[in-house]
Amino acid sequence: MKAVLIRQFSEDPRTHHVEEVAEPVVGSDDILIAVKAASLNFPDLLVMSGKYQILPERPFTPGKDAAGIVEAVGPNVRTFKQGDHVVAQVENGCFASRLSVPQSSATKIPTEMPFADAAAMGLVYQTAYFALTDRGNFRNGETVLISGAAGGVGLAAVQIAKALGAKVLAGVTSEAQAKAVHQSGADEVIDLSAANLPESTREQVHRATNGKGADVFLDPVGGDVFDACIRSLARRGRAVIIGFAAGKIPVIKGSYLLLKNISVSGMQWTDYPTYSPELVAEAQAKLNELYLQGLLRPHITQVFALESFADAAARLTSRG
């Protein structure tokens, strides 16, 4: 079968190629998926460049989200059958014609959901959902501030927060990003490119919340953006660290947390399927429900053939 094969870690997508590889082995508790769509997101670039927190042995096939049709099941599988439409989230392996995964790593999707939508609603939507509901303890009617809101996790968070009853403040750095977050349902845009970032961010958030501040802050960016946005939290506000796309890991001052009773937590999606796979299934069911209600619509920039993987990765690398 065909698959992207990473032989050496590299930041240049053109060094990675689609090759002919052996068909995957289907274990007793596994299902074999004919992959119809796989999503490409920022964490995939980190894996391929050797900068992700979990790195596989080389050579390997990247890709963390795949949607497709079950072709075969292992003898111990009871939850899936041949022909089921499924989405799977794994550490790596999705950029291939076929994928074998433990049954616990996959969930069924409605047959009316396009495979591209299902794949695009994998890791990023699961991450945004758990960050908001489990780590951020969001309650209906609260205000949610999202940095990097035009990115994959950011747009997912905007849509999910809005669907669950939040007032959404979307942090962006350009007019094009502002348009994208408005289309996804954001109530207000917070300009994170303004001069004097800490003060300007707090002024914008306070203006949008009548001086209260945001109840929940979801941050996939880190760096100076995190430092600025945490100052915009309301008393008893909750900040959730999702990633460090800016490249700088924030240093948090404990005294500031104490003065406003602020809590900060981390969100690492891999922890959920490893230790609480039942929560992943519940989250996917909720996301499917919101999708069928028309409340979630993943933003797919472009669809590429597997053979054009390098073109897709190059576009993402250049933030196209």
Side-chain angles (χ1 to χ4, degrees):
M1 69 173 189
K2 293 181 179 180
V4 175
L5 206 61
I6 307 299
R7 296 187 177 277
Q8 295 295 332
F9 294 125
S10 171
E11 295 184 5
D12 181 3
R14 304 293 177 183
T15 62
H16 309 311
H17 305 285
V18 176
E19 302 185 22
E20 289 289 336
V21 302
E23 295 275 350
V25 176
V26 182
S28 298
D29 297 297
D30 298 343
I31 63 173
L32 179 66
I33 302 170
V35 178
K36 300 301 182 183
S39 65
L40 178 67
N41 294 292
F42 186 69
D44 298 307
L45 299 183
L46 295 178
V47 173
M48 292 184 288
S49 65
K51 295 180 178 179
Y52 198 61
Q53 57 261 38
I54 301 173
L55 294 175
E57 293 184 7
R58 294 158 293 171
F60 70 95
T61 295
K64 297 181 179 296
D65 299 297
I69 301 173
V70 176
E71 280 196 340
V73 300
N76 295 338
V77 175
R78 299 290 181 267
T79 53
F80 299 96
K81 65 182 185 302
Q82 188 176 9
D84 282 343
H85 288 205
V86 297
V87 63
Q89 286 95 30
V90 294
E91 276 299 323
N92 295 288
C94 292
F95 300 146
S97 303
R98 290 180 179 84
L99 174 68
S100 179
V101 301
Q103 58 180 327
S104 60
S105 296
T107 53
K108 293 179 183 179
I109 57 173
T111 55
E112 57 265 51
M113 180 183 288
F115 292 116
D117 281 4
M121 283 180 59
L123 178 64
V124 291
Y125 276 74
Q126 288 258 348
T127 296
Y129 181 82
F130 282 124
L132 180 65
T133 62
D134 186 54
R135 309 306 295 139
N137 294 314
F138 167 76
R139 293 181 288 273
N140 184 25
E142 290 187 320
T143 298
V144 178
L145 171 63
I146 302 163
S147 67
V153 171
L155 282 175
V158 169
Q159 293 183 10
I160 293 170
K162 192 64 183 173
L164 296 180
K167 178 176 183 178
V168 177
L169 312 182
V172 301
T173 57
S174 71
E175 285 295 326
Q177 291 180 358
K179 181 179 179 180
V181 298
H182 272 310
Q183 290 175 342
S184 286
D187 295 289
E188 302 279 352
V189 167
I190 305 301
D191 182 7
L192 298 179
S193 67
N196 193 355
L197 186 59
E199 290 302 322
S200 67
T201 301
R202 183 162 58 181
E203 288 174 4
Q204 292 177 77
V205 172
H206 280 199
R207 187 163 56 245
T209 59
N210 294 320
K212 177 186 175 185
D215 300 295
V216 180
F217 165 43
L218 305 184
D219 181 44
V221 177
D224 295 338
V225 168
F226 177 88
D227 294 341
C229 288
I230 197 171
R231 292 164 55 97
S232 303
L233 278 172
R235 295 190 178 279
R236 299 178 64 208
R238 291 91 69 196
V240 183
I241 298 173
I242 301 172
F244 314 109
K248 176 186 172 185
I249 298 175
V251 176
I252 301 167
K253 295 181 179 180
S255 59
Y256 190 76
L257 307 185
L258 184 151
L259 289 173
K260 294 179 70 177
N261 284 315
I262 290 172
S263 62
V264 179
S265 60
M267 166 61 215
Q268 209 286 93
W269 180 82
T270 305
D271 188 74
Y272 287 85
T274 301
Y275 299 104
S276 305
E278 73 283 357
L279 295 181
V280 176
E282 291 174 9
Q284 189 64 51
K286 182 63 176 179
L287 293 172
N288 290 345
E289 176 188 329
L290 294 174
Y291 177 89
L292 292 177
Q293 292 173 3
L295 298 175
L296 302 182
R297 281 294 179 266
H299 178 78
I300 299 173
T301 306
Q302 189 172 345
V303 176
F304 294 81
L306 180 62
E307 289 78 6
S308 300
F309 165 81
D311 295 331
R315 177 165 183 179
L316 184 59
T317 298
S318 65
R319 300 192 182 278

